[in-house]
Amino acid sequence: PSPVQLELFICKACGHIMNGESCSRDIDKYYEDDYDLLFDSSDSEELFLDRSGKEIGKTERLFKPFENVAKKMHPGMYIDIGCGKGLALRAFKEYFPEWEAWGFEVSIRYKDFMNAILPEERVILGEPEQLQAMAGRFDLISMFDVLEHVPDPLAVLASSVELLKPGGRIWIQVP
């Protein structure tokens, strides 16, 4: 069992679960020591059922609807914030090879996974402040299952907007 105590809040209206403010002191230790869900998992995708009952992979579920949006955008620079092992990045590169893909992950444990997908100079690992040097460079930012893991989601969104070029877009998925 983890020695880190996490405080959770549950919205009575919608059931959303959010980390409490008090957990922000210990969250880095928790993720470094106890959060191994992605690190030890295989590269296979989660499967979902669509409305017809057909199985589809998570990346297809994410990227298929985005194809229409991407066709209207001029290919440019894309970054996946909170990219973990890079499964979404790998899929993005397959769906949209004309884009220049980048990845950011706070945990340096994912370095080998990321370097197998992207050139080393397009992998940013460590503190979010490192992204400030990239302000105004990205046409598209994705955050898949990220905001529910941070103590201040609004601050993350605000700093992400700074990374966008004028007219850029942010693509978010939360559970």
Side-chain angles (χ1 to χ4, degrees):
S2 172
V4 177
Q5 296 295 312
L6 297 178
E7 182 179 24
L8 301 176
F9 295 96
I10 302 172
C11 175
K12 291 180 181 178
C14 70
H16 174 73
I17 300 173
M18 179 67 190
N19 292 334
E21 290 286 331
S22 65
C23 77
S24 63
R25 295 184 304 268
D26 298 323
I27 199 76
D28 292 337
K29 181 169 177 33
Y30 170 74
Y31 281 113
E32 196 60 40
D33 296 343
D34 299 313
Y35 192 77
D36 288 331
L37 294 176
L38 289 175
F39 192 79
D40 294 330
S41 67
S42 71
D43 282 348
S44 61
E45 306 193 89
E46 297 172 63
L47 293 177
F48 295 86
L49 296 177
D50 69 10
R51 293 176 196 260
S52 70
K54 175 186 161 212
E55 282 188 354
I56 60 170
K58 182 177 184 175
T59 53
E60 182 180 356
R61 187 174 146 250
L62 288 171
F63 294 110
K64 202 67 170 163
F66 186 71
E67 281 182 309
N68 290 330
V69 175
K71 287 176 186 174
K72 295 174 186 171
M73 294 180 72
H74 182 24
M77 288 181 63
Y78 159 72
I79 188 167
D80 185 23
I81 295 178
C83 56
K85 289 174 64 175
L87 297 177
L89 264 171
R90 184 180 295 130
F92 185 90
K93 286 177 56 177
E94 290 172 17
Y95 274 83
F96 311 107
E98 64 280 4
W99 285 75
E100 181 181 319
W102 289 66
F104 171 76
E105 175 57 50
V106 294
S107 177
I108 61 171
R109 294 168 31 158
Y110 294 103
K111 181 179 181 178
D112 292 339
F113 294 110
M114 296 306 305
N115 287 338
I117 297 168
L118 295 173
E120 192 169 339
E121 64 274 7
R122 291 199 218 160
V123 175
I124 304 168
L125 297 163
E127 296 302 316
E129 291 75 24
Q130 292 176 263
L131 291 172
Q132 291 172 349
M134 305 294 285
R137 293 189 55 192
F138 293 100
D139 301 281
L140 177 63
I141 296 170
S142 64
M143 286 185 263
F144 302 129
D145 303 323
V146 170
L147 292 177
E148 69 273 18
H149 295 277
V150 298
D152 190 352
L154 290 177
V156 171
L157 287 172
S159 63
S160 298
V161 168
E162 299 292 321
L163 300 175
L164 290 172
K165 290 180 181 175
R169 297 178 184 218
I170 298 179
W171 179 14
I172 297 170
Q173 174 184 297
V174 292

Coordinates of all heavy atoms in Angstrom, one line a residue, residues 41-114:
S41 N 2.4 -2.0 -18.6 CA 1.4 -2.6 -19.5 C 2.0 -2.9 -20.8 O 3.0 -2.4 -21.2 CB 0.2 -1.6 -19.6 OG 0.6 -0.5 -20.3
S42 N 1.3 -3.7 -21.6 CA 1.7 -4.0 -23.0 C 1.4 -2.8 -23.9 O 0.8 -1.8 -23.5 CB 1.0 -5.2 -23.5 OG -0.3 -4.9 -23.7
D43 N 1.9 -2.9 -25.1 CA 1.6 -1.8 -26.1 C 0.2 -2.0 -26.7 O -0.1 -1.2 -27.6 CB 2.7 -1.8 -27.2 CG 4.0 -1.2 -26.7 OD1 3.9 -0.6 -25.6 OD2 5.0 -1.3 -27.4
S44 N -0.5 -3.0 -26.3 CA -1.8 -3.2 -26.9 C -2.8 -2.2 -26.4 O -2.6 -1.6 -25.3 CB -2.3 -4.6 -26.6 OG -2.5 -4.8 -25.3
E45 N -3.8 -1.8 -27.2 CA -4.7 -0.8 -26.9 C -5.9 -1.3 -26.0 O -6.2 -2.5 -26.1 CB -5.4 -0.2 -28.1 CG -4.5 0.3 -29.2 CD -5.4 1.1 -30.1 OE1 -5.5 2.3 -29.9 OE2 -5.9 0.5 -31.1
E46 N -6.5 -0.3 -25.3 CA -7.8 -0.6 -24.7 C -8.8 -0.8 -25.8 O -8.7 -0.1 -26.8 CB -8.2 0.5 -23.8 CG -7.3 0.8 -22.7 CD -7.7 2.1 -22.0 OE1 -8.8 2.1 -21.4 OE2 -6.9 3.0 -22.0
L47 N -9.7 -1.7 -25.6 CA -10.8 -1.8 -26.6 C -12.1 -1.3 -26.0 O -12.4 -1.4 -24.9 CB -11.0 -3.3 -27.0 CG -9.8 -4.0 -27.7 CD1 -10.1 -5.4 -27.9 CD2 -9.6 -3.3 -29.1
F48 N -12.9 -0.7 -26.9 CA -14.2 -0.1 -26.6 C -15.2 -0.7 -27.5 O -14.9 -1.2 -28.6 CB -14.2 1.4 -26.7 CG -13.3 2.1 -25.7 CD1 -11.9 2.2 -26.0 CD2 -13.7 2.5 -24.5 CE1 -11.0 2.9 -25.2 CE2 -12.9 3.2 -23.6 CZ -11.5 3.3 -23.9
L49 N -16.5 -0.6 -27.1 CA -17.6 -1.0 -28.0 C -18.2 0.3 -28.6 O -18.5 1.2 -27.8 CB -18.6 -1.8 -27.3 CG -18.2 -3.2 -26.8 CD1 -19.3 -3.8 -26.0 CD2 -17.7 -4.1 -27.9
D50 N -18.4 0.4 -29.9 CA -19.1 1.5 -30.4 C -20.6 1.3 -30.3 O -21.0 0.3 -29.7 CB -18.7 1.8 -31.9 CG -19.2 0.8 -32.9 OD1 -20.0 -0.1 -32.5 OD2 -18.7 0.8 -34.0
R51 N -21.4 2.3 -30.8 CA -22.8 2.2 -30.6 C -23.5 1.0 -31.2 O -24.5 0.5 -30.7 CB -23.5 3.5 -31.1 CG -23.1 4.7 -30.4 CD -23.7 5.9 -31.0 NE -23.0 7.1 -30.5 CZ -23.6 7.9 -29.6 NH1 -24.7 7.6 -29.1 NH2 -22.9 9.0 -29.2
S52 N -22.8 0.4 -32.2 CA -23.4 -0.8 -32.8 C -22.9 -2.1 -32.1 O -23.3 -3.2 -32.5 CB -23.0 -0.8 -34.3 OG -21.6 -1.1 -34.4
G53 N -22.0 -1.9 -31.2 CA -21.5 -3.1 -30.5 C -20.2 -3.6 -31.1 O -19.6 -4.6 -30.6
K54 N -19.7 -3.0 -32.1 CA -18.4 -3.4 -32.7 C -17.2 -2.9 -31.8 O -17.2 -1.8 -31.3 CB -18.3 -2.7 -34.1 CG -17.0 -3.0 -34.8 CD -16.9 -2.2 -36.1 CE -15.4 -2.0 -36.5 NZ -15.2 -0.8 -37.2
E55 N -16.2 -3.8 -31.7 CA -15.0 -3.4 -30.9 C -14.2 -2.5 -31.7 O -13.9 -2.7 -32.9 CB -14.2 -4.7 -30.6 CG -14.7 -5.5 -29.4 CD -13.8 -6.6 -29.0 OE1 -12.7 -6.8 -29.7 OE2 -14.0 -7.2 -28.0
I56 N -13.7 -1.4 -31.1 CA -12.8 -0.5 -31.7 C -11.7 -0.2 -30.7 O -11.9 -0.2 -29.5 CB -13.4 0.8 -32.2 CG1 -14.1 1.6 -31.0 CG2 -14.4 0.5 -33.3 CD1 -14.6 3.0 -31.4
G57 N -10.5 0.1 -31.2 CA -9.4 0.4 -30.3 C -9.5 1.9 -29.8 O -10.1 2.7 -30.5
K58 N -8.8 2.2 -28.8 CA -8.8 3.5 -28.2 C -8.3 4.6 -29.2 O -8.9 5.6 -29.3 CB -8.0 3.6 -26.9 CG -8.0 5.0 -26.3 CD -7.2 5.0 -25.0 CE -7.3 6.3 -24.3 NZ -6.7 6.3 -23.0
T59 N -7.3 4.3 -29.9 CA -6.7 5.3 -30.9 C -7.7 5.5 -32.0 O -7.9 6.7 -32.4 CB -5.4 4.9 -31.4 OG1 -5.4 3.6 -32.0 CG2 -4.3 4.9 -30.4
E60 N -8.4 4.5 -32.5 CA -9.4 4.7 -33.5 C -10.5 5.5 -33.0 O -11.0 6.4 -33.6 CB -9.9 3.4 -34.1 CG -11.0 3.5 -35.2 CD -11.5 2.2 -35.7 OE1 -11.0 1.2 -35.3 OE2 -12.4 2.3 -36.6
R61 N -10.9 5.3 -31.8 CA -12.0 6.0 -31.1 C -11.6 7.5 -30.9 O -12.4 8.4 -31.1 CB -12.3 5.4 -29.7 CG -13.4 6.0 -29.0 CD -13.7 5.2 -27.7 NE -14.2 6.1 -26.7 CZ -13.6 6.5 -25.6 NH1 -12.4 6.0 -25.4 NH2 -14.1 7.3 -24.8
L62 N -10.3 7.8 -30.7 CA -9.8 9.1 -30.6 C -9.7 9.8 -31.9 O -10.1 10.9 -32.1 CB -8.5 9.2 -29.9 CG -8.4 8.9 -28.4 CD1 -7.0 8.8 -27.9 CD2 -9.1 10.0 -27.6
F63 N -9.0 9.1 -32.9 CA -8.6 9.8 -34.1 C -9.6 9.8 -35.2 O -9.6 10.7 -36.0 CB -7.2 9.2 -34.6 CG -6.1 9.5 -33.6 CD1 -5.6 8.5 -32.9 CD2 -5.7 10.8 -33.4 CE1 -4.6 8.8 -31.9 CE2 -4.7 11.1 -32.5 CZ -4.1 10.1 -31.8
K64 N -10.4 8.8 -35.3 CA -11.4 8.8 -36.4 C -12.3 10.0 -36.4 O -12.4 10.7 -37.5 CB -12.2 7.5 -36.3 CG -12.9 7.1 -37.6 CD -11.8 6.6 -38.6 CE -12.5 6.0 -39.8 NZ -11.6 5.9 -40.9
P65 N -12.9 10.4 -35.3 CA -13.7 11.7 -35.3 C -12.9 12.9 -35.7 O -13.4 13.9 -36.2 CB -14.3 11.8 -33.9 CG -14.1 10.4 -33.3 CD -12.9 9.8 -34.0
F66 N -11.6 12.9 -35.3 CA -10.7 14.1 -35.5 C -10.3 14.2 -37.0 O -9.9 15.3 -37.4 CB -9.5 14.0 -34.7 CG -8.7 15.2 -34.7 CD1 -9.1 16.4 -34.1 CD2 -7.5 15.2 -35.3 CE1 -8.4 17.6 -34.2 CE2 -6.7 16.4 -35.4 CZ -7.1 17.6 -34.8
E67 N -10.5 13.2 -37.8 CA -10.0 13.3 -39.2 C -10.7 14.5 -39.9 O -10.0 15.2 -40.7 CB -10.3 12.0 -39.9 CG -9.3 10.9 -39.7 CD -9.6 9.6 -40.5 OE1 -10.8 9.2 -40.4 OE2 -8.7 9.1 -41.1
N68 N -12.0 14.7 -39.7 CA -12.6 15.8 -40.4 C -12.1 17.1 -40.0 O -11.9 18.0 -40.8 CB -14.1 15.7 -40.1 CG -14.8 14.6 -40.9 OD1 -14.3 14.1 -41.9 ND2 -15.8 14.0 -40.3
V69 N -11.7 17.3 -38.7 CA -11.2 18.5 -38.2 C -9.8 18.7 -38.8 O -9.4 19.8 -39.3 CB -11.1 18.5 -36.6 CG1 -10.4 19.8 -36.1 CG2 -12.5 18.4 -36.1
A70 N -9.0 17.6 -38.8 CA -7.6 17.7 -39.3 C -7.5 18.1 -40.7 O -6.6 18.8 -41.2 CB -6.9 16.4 -39.0
K71 N -8.5 17.6 -41.5 CA -8.5 17.9 -42.9 C -8.7 19.4 -43.2 O -8.3 19.9 -44.2 CB -9.6 17.1 -43.6 CG -9.3 15.6 -43.8 CD -10.5 14.9 -44.4 CE -10.2 13.4 -44.3 NZ -11.3 12.6 -44.8
K72 N -9.3 20.1 -42.3 CA -9.6 21.5 -42.4 C -8.4 22.3 -41.9 O -8.4 23.6 -42.1 CB -10.9 21.9 -41.6 CG -12.1 21.3 -42.2 CD -13.3 21.6 -41.4 CE -14.5 20.8 -41.9 NZ -15.7 20.9 -41.0
M73 N -7.5 21.7 -41.2 CA -6.3 22.4 -40.7 C -5.1 22.2 -41.6 O -4.9 21.1 -42.2 CB -5.9 21.8 -39.3 CG -7.0 22.1 -38.2 SD -6.5 21.5 -36.6 CE -5.2 22.6 -36.2
H74 N -4.3 23.2 -41.7 CA -3.0 23.0 -42.4 C -2.1 22.3 -41.6 O -1.9 22.6 -40.4 CB -2.5 24.4 -42.8 CG -1.2 24.4 -43.6 ND1 -0.8 23.4 -44.4 CD2 -0.2 25.3 -43.7 CE1 0.3 23.6 -45.0 NE2 0.7 24.8 -44.6
P75 N -1.5 21.2 -42.1 CA -0.5 20.4 -41.2 C 0.6 21.3 -40.6 O 1.1 22.2 -41.3 CB 0.1 19.4 -42.2 CG -1.0 19.2 -43.2 CD -1.6 20.6 -43.4
G76 N 0.9 21.1 -39.4 CA 1.9 21.9 -38.7 C 2.5 21.1 -37.6 O 2.7 19.9 -37.7
M77 N 2.7 21.8 -36.5 CA 3.4 21.2 -35.3 C 2.3 20.7 -34.3 O 1.4 21.5 -34.0 CB 4.3 22.1 -34.7 CG 5.6 22.3 -35.5 SD 6.8 23.5 -34.7 CE 7.2 22.6 -33.2
Y78 N 2.5 19.5 -33.8 CA 1.5 18.9 -32.9 C 2.3 18.4 -31.7 O 3.4 17.9 -31.8 CB 0.9 17.7 -33.6 CG 0.3 16.7 -32.7 CD1 -0.9 16.9 -31.9 CD2 0.8 15.4 -32.5 CE1 -1.4 16.0 -31.1 CE2 0.3 14.5 -31.7 CZ -0.8 14.8 -31.0 OH -1.4 13.8 -30.1
I79 N 1.8 18.6 -30.5 CA 2.4 18.0 -29.3 C 1.3 17.3 -28.5 O 0.2 17.8 -28.3 CB 3.1 19.1 -28.5 CG1 3.9 18.4 -27.3 CG2 2.2 20.1 -27.9 CD1 4.9 19.3 -26.6
D80 N 1.6 16.1 -28.0 CA 0.8 15.4 -27.1 C 1.4 15.6 -25.7 O 2.5 15.2 -25.4 CB 0.8 13.9 -27.4 CG -0.2 13.1 -26.6 OD1 -1.1 13.7 -26.0 OD2 0.0 11.8 -26.5
I81 N 0.6 16.3 -24.8 CA 1.0 16.6 -23.5 C 0.5 15.4 -22.6 O -0.7 15.1 -22.6 CB 0.5 17.9 -23.0 CG1 1.1 19.0 -23.9 CG2 0.8 18.1 -21.5 CD1 0.7 20.4 -23.6
G82 N 1.5 14.8 -21.8 CA 1.1 13.7 -21.0 C 1.1 12.4 -21.8 O 0.2 11.6 -21.7
C83 N 2.1 12.3 -22.7 CA 2.0 11.2 -23.7 C 2.4 9.8 -23.2 O 2.2 8.9 -23.9 CB 2.9 11.6 -24.9 SG 4.6 11.9 -24.4
G84 N 2.8 9.7 -21.9 CA 3.1 8.4 -21.4 C 4.0 7.5 -22.3 O 5.1 8.0 -22.7
K85 N 3.6 6.4 -22.7 CA 4.4 5.5 -23.5 C 4.3 5.8 -25.0 O 5.0 5.3 -25.8 CB 3.9 4.0 -23.4 CG 4.3 3.4 -22.0 CD 3.7 2.1 -21.8 CE 4.2 1.0 -22.8 NZ 3.7 -0.3 -22.5
G86 N 3.5 6.8 -25.3 CA 3.4 7.3 -26.7 C 2.5 6.6 -27.6 O 2.6 6.7 -28.9
L87 N 1.5 5.8 -27.1 CA 0.6 5.0 -28.0 C -0.2 6.0 -28.8 O -0.4 5.7 -30.0 CB -0.3 4.1 -27.2 CG 0.4 3.0 -26.4 CD1 -0.6 2.2 -25.6 CD2 1.2 2.1 -27.3
A88 N -0.7 7.1 -28.3 CA -1.5 8.0 -29.0 C -0.6 8.8 -30.1 O -1.0 9.0 -31.2 CB -2.2 9.1 -28.1
L89 N 0.6 9.1 -29.7 CA 1.6 9.7 -30.6 C 1.8 8.8 -31.8 O 1.9 9.3 -33.0 CB 2.9 10.0 -29.9 CG 3.0 11.4 -29.4 CD1 4.3 11.5 -28.5 CD2 3.0 12.4 -30.5
R90 N 2.1 7.5 -31.6 CA 2.3 6.6 -32.6 C 1.1 6.5 -33.6 O 1.3 6.6 -34.8 CB 2.6 5.2 -32.1 CG 2.9 4.2 -33.2 CD 3.2 2.8 -32.6 NE 4.4 2.8 -31.8 CZ 4.4 2.3 -30.6 NH1 3.4 1.7 -30.0 NH2 5.5 2.3 -29.8
A91 N -0.1 6.5 -33.0 CA -1.3 6.5 -33.9 C -1.4 7.8 -34.6 O -1.8 7.8 -35.8 CB -2.5 6.2 -33.0
F92 N -1.2 8.9 -34.0 CA -1.3 10.2 -34.6 C -0.4 10.3 -35.9 O -0.8 10.7 -36.9 CB -1.0 11.4 -33.7 CG -1.2 12.7 -34.3 CD1 -2.4 13.3 -34.2 CD2 -0.2 13.4 -35.0 CE1 -2.6 14.6 -34.7 CE2 -0.4 14.6 -35.5 CZ -1.6 15.2 -35.4
K93 N 0.8 9.8 -35.7 CA 1.8 9.8 -36.8 C 1.3 8.9 -38.0 O 1.5 9.2 -39.1 CB 3.2 9.3 -36.3 CG 3.9 10.4 -35.5 CD 5.2 9.8 -35.0 CE 6.1 9.3 -36.1 NZ 7.4 8.9 -35.7
E94 N 0.6 7.8 -37.7 CA 0.0 7.0 -38.7 C -1.1 7.6 -39.4 O -1.2 7.6 -40.6 CB -0.4 5.6 -38.1 CG 0.8 4.8 -37.7 CD 0.3 3.5 -37.0 OE1 -0.9 3.1 -37.1 OE2 1.2 2.9 -36.3
Y95 N -2.0 8.3 -38.7 CA -3.2 8.9 -39.2 C -2.8 10.2 -40.0 O -3.4 10.5 -41.0 CB -4.2 9.3 -38.1 CG -5.2 8.2 -37.8 CD1 -4.8 7.2 -36.9 CD2 -6.5 8.1 -38.3 CE1 -5.7 6.1 -36.6 CE2 -7.3 7.1 -38.0 CZ -7.0 6.1 -37.1 OH -7.9 5.1 -36.8
F96 N -1.9 10.9 -39.4 CA -1.5 12.3 -39.9 C 0.0 12.4 -40.1 O 0.6 13.2 -39.5 CB -2.1 13.3 -39.0 CG -3.5 13.1 -38.6 CD1 -3.8 12.7 -37.3 CD2 -4.5 13.4 -39.5 CE1 -5.1 12.5 -36.9 CE2 -5.8 13.2 -39.1 CZ -6.2 12.7 -37.8
P97 N 0.6 11.7 -41.1 CA 2.0 11.7 -41.2 C 2.6 13.0 -41.7 O 3.8 13.2 -41.5 CB 2.3 10.6 -42.3 CG 1.0 10.5 -43.0 CD -0.1 10.8 -42.0
E98 N 1.8 13.9 -42.2 CA 2.3 15.2 -42.7 C 2.6 16.2 -41.5 O 3.2 17.2 -41.7 CB 1.4 15.8 -43.7 CG 0.0 16.1 -43.2 CD -1.0 14.9 -43.1 OE1 -0.6 13.8 -43.4 OE2 -2.1 15.2 -42.7
W99 N 2.1 15.9 -40.3 CA 2.3 16.7 -39.2 C 3.6 16.4 -38.5 O 4.1 15.3 -38.5 CB 1.2 16.5 -38.1 CG -0.1 17.1 -38.5 CD1 -1.0 16.6 -39.5 CD2 -0.7 18.3 -38.0 NE1 -2.1 17.4 -39.5 CE2 -2.0 18.5 -38.6 CE3 -0.3 19.2 -37.0 CZ2 -2.8 19.5 -38.3 CZ3 -1.2 20.2 -36.7 CH2 -2.4 20.4 -37.3
E100 N 4.2 17.4 -37.9 CA 5.5 17.3 -37.1 C 5.1 17.0 -35.7 O 4.6 17.9 -35.0 CB 6.3 18.5 -37.2 CG 7.6 18.4 -36.4 CD 8.5 19.7 -36.5 OE1 8.5 20.3 -37.6 OE2 9.0 20.1 -35.5
A101 N 5.2 15.8 -35.2 CA 4.8 15.3 -33.9 C 5.9 15.5 -32.8 O 7.0 15.2 -33.1 CB 4.3 13.9 -33.9
W102 N 5.4 16.0 -31.7 CA 6.3 16.2 -30.5 C 5.5 15.5 -29.3 O 4.3 15.3 -29.4 CB 6.4 17.6 -30.1 CG 7.3 18.4 -31.1 CD1 7.0 18.7 -32.4 CD2 8.5 19.0 -30.8 NE1 8.1 19.4 -32.9 CE2 9.0 19.6 -32.0 CE3 9.3 19.1 -29.6 CZ2 10.2 20.3 -32.0 CZ3 10.5 19.8 -29.7 CH2 11.0 20.4 -30.9
G103 N 6.3 15.2 -28.2 CA 5.7 14.6 -27.1 C 6.3 15.2 -25.8 O 7.4 15.5 -25.7
F104 N 5.4 15.4 -24.8 CA 5.8 15.8 -23.5 C 5.3 14.9 -22.4 O 4.1 14.5 -22.4 CB 5.3 17.3 -23.2 CG 5.5 17.6 -21.8 CD1 6.8 18.0 -21.3 CD2 4.5 17.6 -20.8 CE1 7.1 18.3 -20.0 CE2 4.8 17.9 -19.5 CZ 6.0 18.3 -19.1
E105 N 6.1 14.5 -21.5 CA 5.8 13.7 -20.4 C 6.6 14.1 -19.2 O 7.8 14.3 -19.3 CB 6.0 12.2 -20.7 CG 5.8 11.2 -19.6 CD 4.4 11.2 -19.1 OE1 3.4 11.2 -19.8 OE2 4.3 11.3 -17.8
V106 N 5.9 14.2 -18.0 CA 6.6 14.6 -16.8 C 7.5 13.5 -16.3 O 8.6 13.7 -15.7 CB 5.7 15.0 -15.7 CG1 4.9 16.3 -16.0 CG2 4.7 13.9 -15.3
S107 N 7.2 12.2 -16.5 CA 8.0 11.1 -16.0 C 9.1 10.7 -17.0 O 8.8 10.3 -18.1 CB 7.1 9.9 -15.7 OG 7.9 8.8 -15.3
I108 N 10.3 10.9 -16.5 CA 11.4 10.5 -17.4 C 11.5 9.0 -17.6 O 12.3 8.5 -18.5 CB 12.8 11.1 -16.9 CG1 13.1 10.5 -15.5 CG2 12.8 12.6 -16.9 CD1 14.5 10.8 -15.0
R109 N 10.8 8.2 -16.8 CA 10.8 6.8 -17.0 C 10.3 6.3 -18.4 O 10.6 5.2 -18.8 CB 9.8 6.1 -16.0 CG 10.3 6.3 -14.6 CD 9.3 5.9 -13.5 NE 8.4 4.8 -14.0 CZ 7.7 4.1 -13.2 NH1 7.8 4.2 -11.9 NH2 7.0 3.1 -13.7
Y110 N 9.6 7.2 -19.1 CA 9.1 6.8 -20.4 C 10.0 7.2 -21.6 O 9.7 7.1 -22.7 CB 7.7 7.5 -20.6 CG 6.7 7.0 -19.7 CD1 6.3 7.7 -18.6 CD2 6.1 5.8 -19.9 CE1 5.3 7.2 -17.7 CE2 5.1 5.3 -19.1 CZ 4.7 6.0 -17.9 OH 3.8 5.5 -17.1
K111 N 11.2 7.7 -21.3 CA 12.2 8.1 -22.3 C 12.4 7.1 -23.4 O 12.3 7.4 -24.6 CB 13.5 8.5 -21.6 CG 14.5 9.0 -22.6 CD 15.8 9.4 -21.9 CE 16.7 10.0 -23.0 NZ 18.0 10.4 -22.4
D112 N 12.7 5.8 -23.0 CA 13.0 4.8 -24.0 C 11.8 4.6 -25.0 O 11.9 4.4 -26.2 CB 13.4 3.5 -23.4 CG 14.8 3.7 -22.7 OD1 15.5 4.6 -23.1 OD2 15.1 2.9 -21.8
F113 N 10.6 4.6 -24.4 CA 9.4 4.4 -25.2 C 9.3 5.5 -26.2 O 9.0 5.3 -27.4 CB 8.1 4.4 -24.3 CG 8.0 3.2 -23.4 CD1 8.1 3.3 -22.1 CD2 7.8 1.9 -23.9 CE1 8.0 2.2 -21.2 CE2 7.7 0.8 -23.1 CZ 7.8 1.0 -21.7
M114 N 9.4 6.8 -25.7 CA 9.3 7.9 -26.5 C 10.3 8.0 -27.6 O 10.0 8.4 -28.8 CB 9.3 9.2 -25.7 CG 8.2 9.3 -24.7 SD 6.6 9.1 -25.5 CE 6.7 10.4 -26.7

